[in-house]
Amino acid sequence: GGPGRAGGAAPWGGGALLRGILLCVAASGSCWGNSVERKIYITLNKTAPCVRLLNATHQIGCQSSINGDTGVIHVVEKEQDLKWVLSDGPHPPYMVLLEGELFTRELLQQLKRTSRVSGLAVALSRPSPLPGFSPGLKCPNDGFGVYSNDYGPQYAHCNWTVWNPLGNGISYEDFDFPIFLLEDANETQIIKQCYRDHNLPRNGSIPEYPLCAMQLFSHMHAVTSTVTCMRRRTIQSTFSLNPEEFCDPLIDYNVWSTLKPINTSRKMHPSDEVIMVAARLDSHSFFWNLAPGAESTVSSFVTHLAVAEALHKVPDIQSLPRNIMFTFFQGETFDYIGSSRMVYDMENDRFPIRLDNIYAFLELSQVALRNNSVLWVHTDPISQKNESVQLRVKNLVAALTKSSLDANVTLQEVNQSQPLPPSSFQRFLRARNIPGVVLADHRTSFHNRYYQSVYDTPENILVDYPAGLSPEEALIYVTDTAKSLAEVATVVARALYQLAGGNGSTSAIQAAPETVSRMLYGFLIRANNSWFQSIIKQDMKIIMVDNVPQHYIAVNSPVNTTQLVQSVLVNLTGTVVNFTKEECQNPEKMSSPEKELYEYFWVQGPRDPNSTSRIPFCVQSTVRLSKALSPAFELKQWGSTEYSTWTESRWKDIRARIFLVASRELEIITLVVGIAILIFSLLATYFINAKADVLFSSPPDPGAMAY
């Protein structure tokens, strides 16, 4: 049994632990604590916490006290219910169970101002809140893009365009109480049933003990800022043999490849030109590691992958004058971690391609929510004051426009005086006047009503499947969204072919909706599918445990998204070669000159139809990884305003549970009685031991007596 189970006997209350142990000891002489705990608590297994992140100046997020925070549960289904928590309720502190549509900045501000709330559990809203919900900033990555007091000051701080008007900024605030998301509707119902059975005021009367309570554990080790945290970390590692870690930099890898192979052991010749195509890999939400990012992230990198596949199928692609580089940046949500690192590496000759090799830059932003099939072309008005840059941008736009003429995509340019939206391209513009465009489904502010939110789900971009499909059928089902993104990919691929110097007909260059469908299913619905299983490396099986992939950068690298995007790009653009496993995994032992041009991947392969084993093979590819760690940590400039400084706090324990709590008076009585019994037991044991020779002496043997 357990607390909150409808129709069951009430479990032990707050003073129950001591009584339980005493009863257990009396009955059997020993007792395991975890069995007692199971009788008292119901553990909530499907939750996501708000955790603490830090940058150069601030700490954001949430935390509990070191031993967790406990409160009597009160369900808030409408705003009027909050009055009980803030003033009327006689049993503070309260643990508020909040309906998802009420999770707003205004309500959180009320909770921050009171001492009567110990924590907050948010029920996931189904369906998503209709007005929209974005806990991100109205001006994402403000201060780390290209616009500043020195470059387009009129555009700095989103003065011209507020890109995310629905952003309420709560993801970037600090809360001194724990906030958890309840992901499982069944667990939410268990909590509500416990509340109805024990806490719900009836006929105006005050509910009596025992009451249903919740305890949330999410104590964070880091405080104040990245500067403070990293300084403490450095001091610890200098003077301690077992240093305590307080926080870790957000870190992962960028994924990149080139259409024509390049020798990565040396720098590209200055006269060689590369067209750079980019998309971001990561998203974020208020809750840790919940970042579905359907529109903000997945729509762009899936389209990008489809572009790469379409171009690799073109017969004369290897003979074109210019190369094309496919780049997927990680950590862009947190002040452009991946793109700023690649620019830093290019500037410092740590990357085979230099900034001067970049002929043009094309970035895919949010592209799944197009109105009337319109795709907007965003350009930078400041860099185009340079005539050569302006001419190249016009050529880029002309190529895109020409490619869209016979496609179901209407290409339109935004106002020439409008700045770029938040994009990786801005980090490259900070270093060079590079000609480039950003493609998006919005002209001004985002169409995405759930930017950086747990509700940026497949439903947000209208990815829908007929009822009754098996996982294998859903994997290959071509949705309307897949067709739409494939059309965008076709336009981009044809334009890139022309920009790279191609003179042939582009009508045969076509992105495959079937491939886009499989990618959308794998990156949004179920990562553990037969296609992903067949294309990953054998040592990557562990990443397939979670069904629904999340796209948060985290601190343990490489994350699932990075590895899966790498595997998909290898599959779509690589070539199967007849190498043994030993040759494939140790190409440095080969004498072939091509080993400097390619990477080799030993993939699991499809299942053998006649057995349960797989048929592995070797793939030759130009796909590589490069570090996505902010240069601020390389330079130990933890207070940098030039580079991202985001870190994630460490923690020991994150969990949530509910139980019945007794009144304070009963807890005190239970404790006093328990102590009295303990003292009585000790005294009894002492006196029994002192008189043991009298109490337990054997009677004399009659035969041994002498007269």
Side-chain angles (χ1 to χ4, degrees), residues 264-268 341-357 432:
T264 56
S265 63
R266 59 173 181 259
K267 302 294 177 287
M268 182 175 278
R341 178 53 186 262
M342 184 169 284
V343 170
Y344 175 81
D345 287 344
M346 286 180 171
E347 288 182 312
N348 291 277
D349 287 335
R350 296 183 178 184
F351 201 80
I353 298 171
R354 299 180 174 94
L355 287 171
D356 293 333
N357 294 121
R432 292 284 193 286

Side-chain angles (χ1 to χ4, degrees), residues 102-351:
L102 297 178
F103 186 53
T104 62
R105 179 184 181 83
E106 293 72 28
L107 186 139
L108 284 173
Q109 293 303 319
Q110 292 184 66
L111 299 186
K112 284 180 78 171
R113 290 193 293 266
T114 181
S115 59
R116 292 171 55 87
V117 172
S118 58
L120 180 62
V122 182
L124 192 64
S125 182
R126 292 184 175 89
S128 302
L130 282 177
F133 174 75
S134 174
L137 299 171
K138 292 183 184 296
C139 188
N141 292 0
D142 186 22
F144 289 86
V146 69
Y147 302 112
S148 65
N149 293 334
D150 300 321
Y151 188 99
Q154 69 271 33
Y155 305 128
H157 314 300
C158 294
N159 287 335
W160 192 274
T161 305
V162 177
W163 296 106
N164 186 32
L166 291 176
N168 58 31
I170 60 172
S171 282
Y172 295 86
E173 288 200 19
D174 186 43
F175 298 91
D176 59 0
F177 53 85
I179 303 178
F180 278 55
L181 180 72
L182 303 174
E183 300 179 69
D184 190 337
N186 292 329
E187 288 189 344
T188 303
Q189 287 306 314
I190 288 173
I191 300 170
K192 287 183 176 180
Q193 187 61 50
C194 186
Y195 165 79
R196 287 191 288 265
D197 290 345
H198 300 280
N199 299 11
L200 186 65
R202 301 184 191 280
N203 302 321
S205 63
I206 296 174
E208 297 181 357
Y209 287 99
L211 297 172
C212 190
M214 180 183 291
Q215 190 171 29
L216 301 178
F217 297 84
S218 62
H219 182 67
M220 300 286 127
H221 294 177
V223 294
T224 310
S225 67
T226 291
V227 176
T228 301
C229 174
M230 295 302 291
R231 185 173 64 240
R232 292 173 66 194
R233 174 175 170 165
T234 303
I235 293 171
Q236 283 268 349
S237 60
T238 303
F239 296 104
S240 174
L241 293 176
N242 296 301
E244 183 179 356
E245 302 285 357
F246 302 100
C247 67
D248 300 284
L250 297 181
I251 179 176
D252 202 67
Y253 291 92
N254 299 322
V255 182
W256 67 279
S257 73
T258 52
L259 200 57
K260 297 189 287 186
I262 62 171
N263 191 330
T264 56
S265 63
R266 59 173 181 259
K267 302 294 177 287
M268 182 175 278
H269 193 274
S271 63
D272 291 340
E273 293 178 328
V274 173
I275 301 166
M276 197 165 183
V277 192
R280 65 173 55 188
L281 285 180
D282 68 305
S283 187
H284 180 42
S285 81
F286 186 84
F287 300 100
W288 181 74
N289 203 31
L290 272 189
E295 159 73 341
S296 64
T297 303
V298 177
S299 70
S300 58
F301 75 66
V302 161
T303 306
H304 189 173
L305 288 165
V307 171
E309 180 192 35
L311 283 172
H312 269 269
K313 292 179 178 178
V314 179
D316 65 336
I317 202 73
Q318 295 296 322
S319 61
L320 298 184
R322 298 186 185 99
N323 208 338
I324 298 175
M325 178 179 175
F326 306 104
T327 318
F328 301 82
F329 292 119
Q330 188 57 275
E332 296 302 272
T333 302
F334 295 96
D335 300 336
Y336 305 118
I337 292 173
S339 55
S340 63
R341 178 53 186 262
M342 184 169 284
V343 170
Y344 175 81
D345 287 344
M346 286 180 171
E347 288 182 312
N348 291 277
D349 287 335
R350 296 183 178 184
F351 201 80

Side-chain angles (χ1 to χ4, degrees), residues 522-541:
F523 287 113
L524 290 176
I525 308 294
R526 185 181 176 90
N528 193 9
N529 62 72
S530 59
W531 184 47
F532 276 8
Q533 285 283 7
S534 69
I535 64 176
I536 61 172
K537 292 190 289 186
Q538 287 186 321
D539 57 356
M540 287 167 55
K541 290 179 185 177

Side-chain angles (χ1 to χ4, degrees), residues 20-92:
I21 293 173
L22 290 174
L23 288 170
C24 209
V25 170
S28 63
S30 66
C31 182
W32 293 103
N34 60 353
S35 64
V36 175
E37 185 173 343
R38 284 197 298 271
K39 293 177 184 293
I40 300 172
Y41 302 105
I42 288 182
T43 300
L44 304 174
N45 297 311
K46 295 285 187 178
T47 62
C50 160
V51 303
R52 175 168 290 167
L53 298 172
L54 309 99
N55 65 10
T57 54
H58 293 80
Q59 64 180 30
I60 64 171
C62 322
Q63 78 156 353
S64 72
S65 59
I66 193 166
N67 294 315
D69 288 322
T70 304
V72 173
I73 295 171
H74 189 74
V75 176
V76 175
E77 295 179 326
K78 52 187 183 299
E79 287 190 28
Q80 294 88 323
D81 296 338
L82 203 60
K83 190 167 182 270
W84 182 270
V85 172
L86 298 177
S87 58
D88 295 353
H91 305 120

